[in-house]
Amino acid sequence: MIALFAAPIGVLVGMGIAFQTGMNSVLRKNVVSPLLSSFVSFGVGSLLLMLLILVQNEPLAVSTDSLIQSPWWIWSGGLLAMFGLTVNILIFPRLGSVQTAIMPILGQVVTGTLIDTFGGFAAPQYDFTLLRLLGLVAVMAGIGIAIVLPAFKQRSLKKPEERSLLVWQILGISGGIASGITPAVNAALRQTLHSTSLAVFVPFAIGTLLLALVIFFKAPTAWRYLKNALKQPQPWWQWFGGLLGAVYIGGIVLIVPQIGTGGAIITSLFGLLVGSLIIDQFGLLGANKKPINAIQIAGLLVLLAGVVIIQMSK
């Protein structure tokens, strides 16, 4: 049953990430610190997942045997998610919105393809065929049409001399690589723990702890912004971005065994773009209205064709 709906699940959870980004953007404005808004998102997600596990009457702790017998990398999902998040925070002021979107996506797609081809991190292995290559080219072309061409049209790209920041571009790709590894790692964790809820909770809890440590050492005064935000009237939904993040990870760990790491990444990226365009079209979550144009629709169609071709190649 999951195999039949794997691709639609990937699209839906990807759309959820677009809405989570919008919710976290509003939260970031109200708590000032981007690290603090990420901590709230991770923390709320961890609490909700903890409640879910308790309601399901599942053990919240990880057994000693699982800790000893499992490979070390299986517990790195929270660290990888934390790294990808931090990279986006660092590169945005230097590369701008277009390259901040493109560089991590490039890293994710390449990493997902390599994991699928070689079966890394205990993920399903798929042969790299000419049809699969054609699908990947269509995916990257669709992303370029949907994201880059509208930016050229609006003349929002920086000048060439300002864009030649190779170190930051490599860092952006590295963040995408970390994000590309995360689905396979979390899917393997699910197989080890025999629980989807616990496999989602563990990286969330680790991410929450890591963010708390970073804030403690890097910006210890940021906590007062959270206190101030709680005292002022704010939209209630801004606190629940972590819920959508938890749904995303849960959906991904379910579909990776069905369509592979690359398939999960690409279908969720398609959903992410669709969700982002919906938010822009209707001005949701406090965003400024930006009507969808023909170039963006064309990009989505090319991207969708690439998704279909990749699924046909398996």
Side-chain angles (χ1 to χ4, degrees):
M1 184 63 71
I2 293 177
L4 181 63
F5 295 102
I9 289 173
V11 174
L12 288 174
V13 298
M15 291 177 66
I17 288 299
F19 282 84
Q20 182 199 27
T21 301
M23 294 161 75
N24 286 348
S25 177
V26 173
L27 179 63
R28 184 165 61 242
K29 292 178 183 177
N30 292 327
V31 301
V32 181
S33 168
L35 286 173
L36 190 57
S37 68
S38 298
F39 169 79
V40 171
S41 183
F42 269 79
V44 169
S46 297
L47 289 174
L48 293 174
L49 286 164
M50 187 183 300
L51 289 174
L52 176 62
I53 292 171
L54 293 175
V55 168
Q56 293 176 333
N57 200 28
E58 293 184 11
L60 192 60
V62 177
S63 68
T64 306
D65 288 341
S66 296
L67 289 172
I68 295 175
Q69 298 175 7
S70 303
W72 64 268
W73 51 262
I74 210 169
W75 309 102
S76 63
L79 176 61
L80 292 169
M82 178 57 194
F83 178 73
L85 175 68
T86 304
V87 164
N88 280 346
I89 293 172
L90 290 174
I91 68 175
F92 184 83
R94 295 164 177 84
L95 298 182
S97 60
V98 174
Q99 290 199 58
T100 298
I102 289 296
M103 295 301 164
I105 286 176
L106 178 60
Q108 287 183 55
V109 172
V110 171
T111 302
T113 301
L114 290 174
I115 291 175
D116 278 354
T117 302
F118 297 101
F121 302 101
Q125 189 267 335
Y126 299 95
D127 293 334
F128 189 79
T129 62
L130 183 60
L131 187 61
R132 190 169 180 80
L133 175 60
L134 178 62
L136 288 171
V137 170
V139 165
M140 294 309 299
I143 292 172
I145 293 170
I147 297 177
V148 178
L149 287 187
F152 271 115
K153 184 178 178 181
Q154 297 169 6
R155 297 181 181 179
S156 61
L157 289 177
K158 296 182 179 180
K159 295 179 181 178
E161 62 268 23
E162 295 177 315
R163 295 203 313 272
S164 49
L165 299 169
L166 183 60
V167 172
W168 298 106
Q169 291 168 336
I170 292 175
L171 184 61
I173 294 173
S174 300
I177 291 172
S179 299
I181 295 173
T182 304
V185 168
N186 289 338
L189 181 62
R190 174 177 175 259
Q191 297 298 321
T192 297
L193 300 179
H194 306 290
S195 168
T196 300
S197 301
L198 194 57
V200 178
F201 170 73
V202 168
F204 254 83
I206 292 174
T208 302
L209 178 61
L210 290 173
L211 280 164
L213 290 174
V214 170
I215 294 172
F216 180 79
F217 288 105
K218 181 177 174 57
T221 60
W223 299 108
R224 71 173 185 269
Y225 297 123
L226 178 59
K227 184 178 179 181
N228 293 337
L230 289 169
K231 291 180 179 178
Q232 300 172 5
Q234 307 286 353
W236 62 269
W237 43 259
Q238 70 174 355
W239 305 102
F240 292 95
L243 173 61
L244 294 177
V247 171
Y248 169 79
I249 295 180
I252 291 298
V253 300
L254 285 174
I255 67 175
V256 163
Q258 311 300 327
I259 60 176
T261 303
I265 289 173
I266 290 169
T267 53
S268 63
L269 285 176
F270 177 76
L272 173 63
L273 288 179
V274 171
S276 299
L277 292 179
I278 290 174
I279 291 172
D280 285 349
Q281 174 69 25
F282 298 103
L284 303 177
L285 304 176
N288 295 325
K289 282 189 177 183
K290 299 176 184 176
I292 300 174
N293 56 50
I295 293 177
Q296 291 170 318
I297 293 175
L300 282 178
L301 292 176
V302 173
L303 176 54
L304 178 60
V307 172
V308 172
I309 292 171
I310 289 174
Q311 295 310 308
M312 289 173 58
S313 69
K314 294 179 178 178

